[in-house]
Amino acid sequence: MERLEFGGDSRSRYIAIEAAIHIARYLTVKDLCSGRKVLDVACGEGYGSWLISKWGAKSVLGVDISEKAVANAKKRFKADGLTFECGSGEKLAELAGPQQFDLIVSMETIEHVDDPELFLENIKSLASDNATIVISAPNDYWYYDRGGFNEFHKRKFTLEEFKALTEKVLGKAQSWQLGTLGIGFSIAAENGGVPSGNAGTGQDLMLEFKDIDSAVFVPSQIESDVLPPEAAFYVGVWGKRAIPRTMFAGYPVSMNLGRQALFPRDGIWAIKPDATDVLRETTELQRLALKLQQTEADLHAAQTDVLRETTESQRLALKLQQTEDGLHAAQTDILRETTESQRLALKLQQAEAGLHAAQEELHFAKKENERLGMSRRAAQAEVASVWRALEKCERERDATTTRFNGEVQELSEQLDSSHQEIRRLISSVNAANAHLAGVPWNIVRAWWMIRKFVPDFVLRFVGLVLNSMRRSHAR
C-alpha cells in the first residue's frame, strides 16, 4: 500500500497489518522527538508528522509531493507547531530555505525520487550540527520475488545497495535495523482494549492505538531468523543519538489464525526441520549460488575476451592500414626513383650525343689539322681532354646504373616482405572474426533478460545449458 488515506470514508478500508507496519516505521523516532525541530519528508496524509508532534516535538514540518495528500493532511491533522507543505524531495532545500532541523525523517521515499543522491544531499544540507537522520526503504526484492514490480517505484534496493547509496552521501550510519514481521503472544483486555475494525472501517481507526505497558522480545529460532533479503524494509540512522534496538507495533489475533503455521499437530509446538537437513539444504543452496556466481564470472570473462578480440582486430586493422600506407609510400619512392633513373638515362643519352658531337668535332679538327697543318699539339691535347671526359661520363653512368639496380632490388625485397605481412594480418583478422562469430550472443542476451523473472529451478537449468554450450564452444 503506497499511501494511507484518512477521513473516515471508504477511500481506504482499515487493514490491521498495514496499520502496524506503517506505525512501526515511525516508532524508530519516538524517543528522539522531544523538544526537537523535525522535518518529515514524504509525509503523505500526515499521520506520521502528527505522531511525531504527539510524541513531544517542538515543531514539525511535513512535506509531500502530492497536493491532494497535503490538503488532506492540513484538514485532518492539526496540532501546535505542525505544518504541511507541498514539494518534491529534490527541491527540499528551496522549500525549507535557511531552516535547519534537529531530526529529519524520510520513510519509504528514496525509491520514488528521480535523483536519489541529490535528494540525500538536500537532506544533509538541512540537518543541524547535532541532527539525527532516519531513512527507510522497502525491500521490493521480497515483495515481488515471484515477478512483477511496483509501478510507483523508480528503483529497488537490497540492504547493501541501500547502505552504499546513503552512506556515500551521509557518511557511515550510526545503526541499521530490519523491519520484519513479529510473532509472539499478547495478553489483551477482554473489554476496554483497542477496538477492532471491519470491512467498512476507515483508516482513521489506526490512530486509536495503545502504547504497550510491558513487552519483551525473546530470542528467535535460527530457522526463522530474519535476514536482510527476507525483511520488509530497511532503516538507517545517522547522528549521535541511538534509537531502540527493538521496536514492535502489532495487534492481538485469534489462535486459529496461526493454528496451521505454528501448531500443525494438537498439543505439539512448531515442528522445525532437522538441523542436519537444514545444513544439507543450506550447503546445496550455497553450492548452487557458487555455481551461479561462477557462471556469471564465465559470462563476464567471455565478454572480456570478446572485447579483447575486438580490440585486437581493430589494432590489426590499423596495422594493416599502416602497412598499406607504407606500401603506397614505397611505390611512390619506386616511381620517384624510376623517374630519376629515366632522367639520368636521358642525361646519359645527352652526354652520348655530346660525345658523338665531340667526336665529330674531333674528326673535323683532325681533318682541319691535316688540311691546315696548324695547331696540331693543341688539337691533340683537346682530343685527350675530351676522351678523359668521355671516360668519366662512362664511369658515372656505370656507377649510377649499379646504384639504381641495387635500390630496385632492395625495394622489391621490401615489397615482398610487405605482401607477406599483409597476408599474415588478413589471416589474423579472419581468425578473430571467426572467434567473434562463434560467441552465442542470442543465448547471452536471453539469459540476462529472463534470469530475474523465472523460478529458481529454471535458472539452474539455464545455467547448466549455458555451461554445456560454453564447454562445447571451448572445444
Side-chain angles (χ1 to χ4, degrees):
M1 183 178 294
E2 284 303 303
R3 173 175 292 139
L4 296 183
E5 296 182 325
F6 296 85
D9 55 28
S10 59
R11 289 181 299 159
S12 177
R13 73 181 183 88
Y14 178 73
I15 302 175
I17 195 168
E18 287 293 339
I21 195 172
H22 281 78
I23 287 184
R25 294 190 187 105
Y26 277 96
L27 277 178
T28 56
V29 299
K30 180 180 179 182
D31 294 343
L32 306 178
C33 298
S34 181
R36 310 192 85 185
K37 188 176 182 180
V38 184
L39 172 63
D40 182 13
V41 183
C43 65
E45 296 205 353
Y47 73 94
S49 301
W50 176 78
L51 286 173
I52 292 171
S53 177
K54 179 181 177 181
W55 289 331
K58 179 181 178 181
S59 66
V60 183
L61 171 60
V63 177
D64 198 272
I65 196 171
S66 170
E67 294 181 357
K68 179 181 177 182
V70 170
N72 289 336
K74 291 179 178 179
K75 180 179 179 181
R76 175 64 180 82
F77 295 104
K78 300 180 185 296
D80 292 340
L82 175 60
T83 58
F84 297 98
E85 297 290 344
C86 185
S88 68
E90 291 93 338
K91 296 183 179 180
L92 281 176
E94 300 177 17
L95 182 65
Q99 295 186 76
Q100 296 284 290
F101 296 91
D102 306 314
L103 173 61
I104 300 179
V105 182
S106 173
M107 300 302 183
E108 317 291 289
T109 314
I110 197 168
E111 69 276 10
H112 292 276
V113 299
D114 292 316
D115 190 340
E117 289 194 23
L118 175 60
F119 170 66
L120 293 170
E121 290 285 0
N122 283 335
I123 286 179
K124 184 178 180 180
S125 70
L126 296 174
S128 64
D129 292 338
N130 295 317
T132 301
I133 299 173
V134 180
I135 302 175
S136 74
N139 179 11
D140 280 355
Y141 289 103
W142 181 84
Y143 281 108
Y144 302 101
D145 64 329
R146 299 296 182 183
F149 61 93
N150 189 314
E151 61 179 322
F152 300 103
H153 293 182
K154 297 183 178 180
R155 57 189 47 80
K156 57 184 179 179
F157 300 95
T158 63
L159 177 59
E160 292 305 317
E161 290 168 344
F162 185 46
K163 284 183 178 181
L165 174 62
T166 53
E167 292 187 338
K168 177 182 177 182
V169 178
L170 302 178
K172 186 173 180 59
Q174 194 265 356
S175 64
W176 287 97
Q177 276 76 26
L178 300 177
T180 187
L181 183 67
I183 295 179
F185 276 85
S186 63
I187 301 175
E190 180 181 5
N191 296 305
V194 291
S196 298
N198 55 39
T201 306
Q203 194 63 49
D204 291 60
L205 182 64
M206 70 176 280
L207 304 178
E208 298 183 31
F209 65 88
K210 303 295 182 183
D211 290 331
I212 299 176
D213 295 325
S214 299
V216 297
F217 255 41
V218 299
S220 178
Q221 293 178 219
I222 191 170
E223 299 95 331
S224 58
D225 265 349
V226 59
L227 300 175
E230 300 164 353
F233 58 91
Y234 327 112
V235 179
V237 181
W238 288 261
K240 297 180 180 179
R241 296 186 62 177
I243 67 173
R245 299 289 296 175
T246 301
M247 290 143 282
F248 181 76
Y251 53 97
V253 298
S254 166
M255 284 295 291
N256 289 335
L257 184 64
R259 179 184 296 277
Q260 296 302 319
L262 300 177
F263 304 98
R265 298 179 186 175
D266 292 340
I268 300 179
W269 292 90
I271 298 176
K272 301 296 180 182
D274 182 79
T276 305
D277 293 337
V278 172
L279 179 61
R280 185 184 305 111
E281 292 176 0
T282 302
T283 304
E284 178 65 14
L285 288 175
Q286 291 173 344
R287 185 187 68 79
L288 292 175
L290 179 60
K291 191 172 183 179
L292 178 59
Q293 185 179 5
Q294 290 172 343
T295 301
E296 292 176 345
D298 291 341
L299 285 173
H300 179 70
Q303 291 174 338
T304 303
D305 291 341
V306 169
L307 180 60
R308 184 168 55 251
E309 291 291 343
T310 302
T311 304
E312 179 65 15
S313 298
Q314 292 173 344
R315 187 187 68 79
L316 292 175
L318 178 60
K319 189 171 182 181
L320 177 60
Q321 181 64 40
Q322 292 172 345
T323 303
E324 290 176 349
D325 293 342
L327 178 60
H328 178 71
Q331 290 173 340
T332 303
D333 291 340
I334 292 173
L335 180 60
R336 185 170 56 251
E337 291 292 340
T338 302
T339 304
E340 179 67 16
S341 299
Q342 292 173 348
R343 189 185 65 79
L344 292 174
L346 179 60
K347 189 174 182 181
L348 180 60
Q349 185 178 3
Q350 291 173 346
E352 289 176 346
L355 179 61
H356 181 69
Q359 288 174 338
E360 289 181 350
E361 290 178 1
L362 179 60
H363 179 71
F364 177 78
K366 285 181 179 180
K367 292 296 183 181
E368 185 69 14
N369 188 43
E370 290 175 358
R371 187 177 66 84
L372 297 175
M374 298 175 64
S375 305
R376 184 174 181 176
R377 290 184 180 177
Q380 289 176 342
E382 186 176 353
V383 169
S385 176
V386 170
W387 278 108
R388 284 194 298 272
L390 178 62
E391 290 174 353
K392 182 178 180 181
C393 289
E394 289 179 347
R395 287 194 299 273
E396 288 179 355
R397 181 192 64 185
D398 294 341
T400 300
T401 302
T402 301
R403 181 173 62 83
F404 172 71
N405 291 336
E407 290 176 352
V408 170
Q409 179 65 30
E410 182 179 353
L411 289 173
S412 298
E413 292 175 355
Q414 291 178 358
L415 185 58
D416 292 340
S417 176
S418 297
H419 285 154
Q420 293 175 0
E421 179 66 14
I422 289 171
R423 286 192 294 271
R424 187 184 69 78
L425 291 174
I426 290 173
S427 299
S428 299
V429 171
N430 290 337
N433 289 335
H435 181 73
L436 285 172
V439 175
W441 289 110
N442 291 335
I443 295 176
V444 171
R445 284 193 295 269
W447 165 252
W448 283 109
M449 290 174 62
I450 69 173
R451 65 188 293 259
K452 294 184 178 180
F453 302 100
V454 297
D456 294 341
F457 73 90
V458 174
L459 289 176
R460 291 194 292 272
F461 176 75
V462 171
L464 293 174
V465 171
L466 288 176
N467 280 334
S468 175
M469 293 186 69
R470 181 177 60 80
R471 289 195 295 270
S472 174
H473 179 67
R475 289 198 295 268

